[in-house]
Every structure is written in C-alpha cells, then in structure tokens.
C-alpha cells in the first residue's frame, strides 16, 4: 500500500478516477434536496474537479431521521460487539484495497503531496479503524464495590446520532479518528466534510456500505458550515458533535449546544505550537530536521505545526544555520509528483491569508531569512517555505495561527525564559522539547501547557495515546486511544438489590 508510483502513473490514475459528488444518505448517493452544488477545485491548477452537492438543513433533517431510525432499530447498535468488530475490520480492509485511488483523490482535492497521502494518511487511516475495530469486543463493563447484598453495574451505551464536522487538512485521517470510536460504540454517524475536501469522505461511506455497515449508519453531507454544520449543532436528535477546526468555529458549537438539547461537544481546535530548544540540546542536525518537518508538514496546514521555534541564545546561531540547510530538503511542486514534499495551499482564501501574514511579519520588523513569496507554477496556489528571525513574542506571526508554511525563530535568554515564551499563548495543543538532560525532560514536559509534549522529536503520539489540547485548543474530550470511546458512549448505573 505504501509503494510509490511514478508521476506519470499518478497523472494517468487521476484522469481515470470516478469522482463522487452527491451526498450519501441512508446508503445511497443523492442530490441535495434543493439541488444546490458547489465546485471542488484542484488547488494545484485551479481546475474544477466536480460540482459537489451542497446540502442544507433539509438534508440534515433527512439524514438525522434515517440515522436515528436505524439506531433505534438496532441494526448496528444492537449487534454483538464481535460482529461490529468484523465489519469495521472489513471496512478497513476495503480502504486498504482502494488506497491508491483514495490517495490520488485526496491529492487532487486537497493539494496534499501524493508522497504524504500514500506514506502517511492512508496507512494511518486504515490502522486507526483497525485499532478501534479490534477494541470493540475488548472493553469490559464494571461492577461497583457495593457489598454482597447489592449489585451496582456500570455499563456503557451508544449515544445515538453522532455529528462529525471535519477539517480540510487531513480529510481521511480526521474521518477515521471520529468514525473509529463512534462506530465501535454502536452509534449512527453523520459527517460534514470540509467544503473544500468532500470526495474521499463520500468514497469512504460507499466502502462502509460495501463492508456491511447498515444503510443509515454512516451518512455524508457536503455543504457550507452555516448550511450543514450549524443545523447539526442545533438539531435536537443529534446527541454529540465532534469538531476539528478553528477555535472560532469550535466556540459556536458550544453555543449551538446551549441553544438546543445540551448535546455533548468535543472540540479539537487551533494551535500555535512551539519547539523549545534548551541550552543542553544535542545532535542539532536531528533537532533541525525535526523542527523543519514539524513546521512544514502538509504545507504547515496542521494544527500542531511547530511555528514558534524558541531557541536558547547559546545555540541560536548554529541551529539557525542547520534549519536553513534542512529546509532545502522540502521542495514544492506538483502534488502528484512523488519527488515533492510540499504541495499546494488548499484554496485562494487561505493562500491570500498566508501572504498577508508574511507581509505583516515584514512590516512589524521581523527578518525574512527564507521564502516569503508565491511560487509560480501555472494557476496553482503555491507558497515558498518561509522562515522569519528576530521575532518578538508580541508580533502577529508569533501569536496568531497562520496555517501555512511559515515559521519563526525566537531567542530565549535562559531555559526558564524559553518555557515562559512557550506557554505565552492562548493555545496549548502540542509542544516539542529538546534537551539532553532526562530530569529537565520530565520537569519541562510537565510544565509545558500542551495536550501532547514530544521530547527530542516532533510527534503527536500514536493511536494508543489521547490527542487533544489545553486552553483554547480543545474542549470536552480526546481523539485517539481508548479514551476516545468515552465521548461516544453514555455511562449508566444499574442498581440491583439482592437482599431477601
């Protein structure tokens, strides 16, 4: 699954693809009720790939009604856990069998490098579903310590209809992060993919049906946020909304919950993640390699992108030179060409926003070391990897999430100052820490205000570790790990009196 083809082979596959464009409700591809569509545009060349169904509140009502009906019938929710497991594993197998098609589709729509889609996104998507599928029949209920004449059973039940609102930066992986635990628990799921990246999620729904997941259990409603996301957030029969995206939008779902049925809300939101390099950090070549990968992966369109590089003053000059050297390995070009590590920016709005941030950094006095300009490749949306130096903590590019291939260097007077700078943010999703001292590694990792702290590397953990944020980076739960199952299930106490 992870063997790369040639550029020409990927171009040929792209020409042969059948691109899904209609909503998927109750096991069928259907047009939006009002017949609306929206264009899916390839950001690498500006061409329209397909006109995608643009759903609205009417489609939401239909999907929720079907999802609730199949849940109450028990077609999926009442299956024995081992049967749900087998079906989810079959679903994962079908994704693996169609991995090349899905990778090309995601590259076309998202502008992601095919190298990344093939080597990372598809394997992680498959592994996520396999892992949660395997967990389905291995999670035990509990008994309370209630004595011999009482029996307190603590059981978990599926919630019902789950709404998932996805971002555009990792369409397949984020779908799997939500689908895996939600389906394993027995829920019905309605996904609203990002309007820029709907096609791979639609294809997943088709494969899920083929795997044996009953019609109505997995539905996909493409559309704009106000037309689909908001109605899901306000719908009285949706029991939870799991959202990954901007903090601003995430806060709206808390309002929708308050205005409707107090549905559960789980948010994974924005970030301004730091790399913190202490004065005793070793192997600076490896440190630089990790820093550049953390900043530029997926063109910096990543919530955990390490866009603030905080370096102890004693290492600043040497490490800066090595960072610049490592940036040369990250070349930008046609996303379907596997030689390129960087592809296109997702859409014109994001492209213009990134360039505005670069201009702001220059105007506020930061020193531009690398990049800082568009790359002209036909009608595509490409921006050169951009590195700023002489950045101070109050500068816009050090405070706000840019979501592009832009990162900045900040100098720390001491290790304690580096920690202070790292925590000087309203976000707290991820942080990377570099030190050769095991005591500092433990102490500083605990003091860094982030949901995930990686030491001497850049990492988000793996499927077995919970992922989510502190402060304005997260709310209400975690993706990944067995903890993810908690948010898609309800805890019930069953109390039995055994006394005569």
């Amino acid at each position: 699954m992870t063997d790369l083809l040639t550029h020409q082979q990927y171009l040929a596959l792209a020409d042969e693809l059948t691109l899904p464009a209609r909503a998927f409700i109750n096991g069928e591809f259907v047009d939006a009720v009002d017949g609306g569509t929206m264009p899916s545009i390839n950001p690498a060349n500006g061409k329209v790939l397909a006109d995608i169904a643009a759903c609205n509140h009417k489609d939401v009502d239909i999907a929720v009604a079907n999802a609730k009906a199949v849940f109450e019938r028990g077609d999926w929710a009442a299956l024995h856990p081992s049967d749900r497991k087998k079906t989810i594993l079959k679903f994962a197998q079908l994704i693996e069998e169609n991995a090349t098609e899905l990778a090309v589709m995601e590259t076309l729509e998202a502008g992601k490098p095919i190298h990344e889609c093939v080597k990372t996104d598809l394997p992680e998507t498959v592994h996520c579903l396999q892992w949660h599928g395997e967990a389905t029949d291995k999670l035990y209920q509990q008994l309370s310590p209630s004595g011999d004449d009482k029996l307190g059973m603590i059981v978990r039940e599926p919630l019902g209809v789950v709404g998932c609102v996805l971002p555009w930066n990792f369409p397949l992986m984020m779908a799997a992060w939500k689908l895996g635990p939600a389906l394993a628990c027995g829920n019905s799921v309605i996904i609203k993919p990002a309007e820029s990246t709907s096609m791979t999620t639609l294809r997943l729904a088709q494969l899920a049906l083929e795997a044996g997941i009953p019609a109505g259990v997995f539905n996909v409603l493409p559309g704009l946020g106000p037309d689909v996301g908001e109605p899901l957030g306000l719908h009285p029969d949706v029991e939870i909304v799991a959202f990954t995206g901007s903090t601003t939008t995430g806060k709206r779902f808390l309002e929708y919950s308050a205005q409707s049925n107090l549905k559960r809300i789980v948010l994974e939101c924005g970030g301004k993640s730091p790399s913190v390099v202490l004065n005793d950090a070793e192997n600076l070549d490896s440190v630089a390699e990790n820093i550049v990968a953390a900043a530029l992966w997926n063109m910096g369109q990543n919530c955990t992108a390490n866009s603030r590089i905080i370096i102890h003053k004693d290492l600043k000059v040497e490490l800066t030179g090595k960072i610049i050297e490592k940036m040369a390995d990250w070349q930008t070009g046609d996303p379907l060409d596997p030689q390129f590590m960087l592809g296109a920016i997702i859409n014109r709005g994001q492209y213009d926003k990134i360039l505005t941030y670069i201009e702001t950094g220059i105007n506020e006095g930061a020193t531009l070391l690398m990049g800082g300009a568009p790359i002209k490749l036909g009608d595509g949306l490409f921006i050169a990897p951009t590195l700023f130096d002489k950045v101070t903590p109050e500068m816009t590019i050090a405070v706000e999430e840019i979501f592009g291939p832009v990162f900045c260097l900040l100098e720390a007077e001491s290790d304690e100052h580096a920690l202070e700078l790292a925590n000087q943010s309203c976000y707290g999703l991820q942080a990377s820490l570099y030190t050769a001292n095991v005591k500092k590694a433990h102490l500083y990792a605990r003091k860094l205000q982030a949901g995930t702290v990686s030491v001497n590397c850049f990492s988000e953990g793996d499927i077995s570790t919970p992922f989510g944020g502190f402060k304005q980076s997260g709310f209400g739960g975690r993706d990944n790990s067995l903890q993810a199952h908690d948010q898609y299930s309800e805890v019930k106490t069953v109390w039995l009196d055994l006394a005569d």
Side-chain angles (χ1 to χ4, degrees):
M1 182 176 67
T2 57
D3 292 333
L4 289 165
L5 305 178
T6 67
H7 186 201
Q8 291 303 316
Q9 286 174 315
Y10 284 124
L11 289 172
L13 285 171
D15 288 339
E16 297 169 1
L17 282 181
T18 299
L19 302 177
R22 304 167 78 198
F24 195 86
I25 301 176
N26 202 32
E28 295 182 332
F29 282 115
V30 296
D31 294 327
V33 170
D34 287 348
T37 62
M38 56 187 181
S40 175
I41 299 173
N42 184 341
N45 58 26
K47 295 180 180 178
V48 175
L49 294 164
D51 289 317
I52 308 291
C55 298
N56 62 24
H57 66 95
K58 298 176 185 177
D59 305 277
V60 171
D61 288 343
I62 294 170
V64 172
N66 281 284
K68 182 178 180 181
V70 70
F71 177 78
E72 292 180 343
R73 287 198 308 269
D75 298 4
W76 180 250
L79 276 183
H80 191 281
S82 62
D83 292 327
R84 287 205 302 272
K85 179 187 76 172
K86 291 176 184 177
T87 306
I88 294 172
L89 292 179
K90 176 63 175 176
F91 180 29
Q93 178 186 336
L94 289 174
I95 294 172
E96 189 167 24
E97 291 172 0
N98 292 273
T100 302
E101 170 200 349
L102 287 162
V104 172
M105 196 179 294
E106 187 139 302
T107 292
L108 289 174
E109 197 170 37
K112 295 168 67 74
I114 190 68
H115 180 281
E116 181 181 313
C117 291
V118 171
K119 292 290 188 179
T120 302
D121 291 29
L122 264 301
E124 290 296 325
T125 297
V126 171
H127 179 55
C128 177
L129 290 168
Q130 289 172 334
W131 195 88
H132 287 291
E134 284 288 358
T136 304
D137 62 356
K138 299 174 180 67
L139 296 175
Y140 288 80
Q141 313 285 10
Q142 295 176 302
L143 295 177
S144 66
S146 305
D148 292 339
D149 59 348
K150 304 288 190 298
L151 180 63
M153 297 189 298
I154 303 165
V155 300
R156 292 190 173 273
E157 300 177 350
L159 290 171
V161 180
V162 172
C164 301
V165 181
L166 304 184
W168 43 258
N169 55 343
F170 294 96
L172 282 165
M173 286 175 61
M174 293 303 98
W177 280 19
K178 314 298 187 192
L179 277 172
L183 290 175
C185 290
N187 297 286
S188 297
V189 181
I190 299 171
I191 287 184
K192 180 220 169 296
E195 47 265 36
S196 299
T197 53
S198 299
M199 295 191 298
T200 51
T201 313
L202 290 166
R203 181 70 173 118
L204 285 188
Q206 189 178 27
L207 293 175
L209 187 70
E210 184 180 338
I213 294 176
V217 170
F218 179 12
N219 309 273
V220 181
L221 301 180
L224 302 179
D227 297 332
V228 178
E230 181 176 344
L232 278 173
L234 291 169
H235 203 290
D237 289 330
V238 174
E239 302 299 332
I240 175 176
V241 169
F243 169 80
T244 296
S246 73
T247 298
T248 300
T249 302
K251 290 178 179 179
R252 294 196 190 111
F253 282 101
L254 297 176
E255 296 175 1
Y256 301 152
S257 174
Q259 294 166 15
S260 56
N261 58 335
L262 282 181
K263 59 175 58 65
R264 197 174 295 182
I265 301 294
V266 177
L267 305 176
E268 192 265 280
C269 297
K272 192 68 178 174
S273 299
S275 285
V276 182
V277 185
L278 304 186
N279 69 339
D280 61 356
E282 295 179 340
N283 192 355
L284 295 188
D285 287 306
S286 175
V287 173
E289 185 175 351
N290 276 277
I291 283 173
V292 173
L296 298 182
W297 175 37
N298 198 33
M299 294 71 71
Q301 298 172 142
N302 178 17
C303 296
T304 62
N306 285 187
S307 57
R308 294 185 296 143
I309 316 305
I310 302 167
I311 309 173
H312 190 282
K313 64 181 180 179
D314 294 347
L315 302 179
K316 175 82 178 332
V317 173
E318 183 181 1
L319 184 54
T320 299
K322 292 181 180 296
I323 289 171
I324 291 172
E325 290 175 7
K326 297 298 182 182
M327 288 178 69
D329 297 333
W330 290 74
Q331 296 296 311
T332 304
D334 182 355
L336 283 174
D337 189 336
Q339 71 172 304
F340 293 115
M341 297 291 286
L342 297 173
I345 305 302
I346 184 67
N347 56 41
R348 174 65 64 174
Q350 186 64 20
Y351 174 87
D352 291 341
K353 177 184 175 184
I354 296 167
L355 292 178
T356 298
Y357 273 116
I358 293 172
E359 182 180 359
T360 299
I362 294 170
N363 291 339
E364 290 183 357
T367 300
L368 185 63
L369 293 183
M370 294 284 289
I375 297 175
K376 299 298 183 182
L377 293 173
D379 294 323
L381 303 173
F382 300 91
I383 295 176
T386 299
L387 176 63
F388 280 102
D389 195 6
K390 307 296 183 183
V391 175
T392 55
E394 73 281 356
M395 287 184 180
T396 302
I397 58 172
V399 174
E400 297 184 12
E401 185 177 35
I402 297 174
F403 230 62
V406 181
F407 60 122
C408 60
L409 306 178
L410 294 89
E411 184 174 306
E413 294 297 318
S414 64
D415 287 348
E416 293 73 20
H417 184 220
L419 179 67
E420 178 185 337
L421 291 174
N423 288 336
Q424 191 175 312
S425 174
C426 66
Y427 298 112
L429 188 55
Q430 190 272 350
S432 300
L433 175 68
Y434 297 92
T435 177
N437 185 303
V438 66
K439 184 176 179 179
K440 281 185 180 179
H442 282 282
L443 292 176
Y444 278 67
R446 289 178 179 272
K447 290 180 179 179
L448 283 165
Q449 297 168 0
T452 298
V453 178
S454 57
V455 180
N456 292 327
C457 66
F458 166 70
S459 179
E460 296 178 351
D462 64 15
I463 189 62
S464 68
T465 57
F467 180 82
F470 288 14
K471 299 189 276 190
Q472 294 191 46
S473 287
F475 178 90
R478 291 290 190 265
D479 288 314
N480 294 341
S481 81
L482 292 179
Q483 290 188 21
H485 291 239
D486 295 345
Q487 59 213 25
Y488 297 109
S489 59
E490 194 65 90
V491 176
K492 176 184 286 184
T493 294
V494 180
W495 187 261
L496 284 77
D497 187 344
L498 304 178
D500 292 335

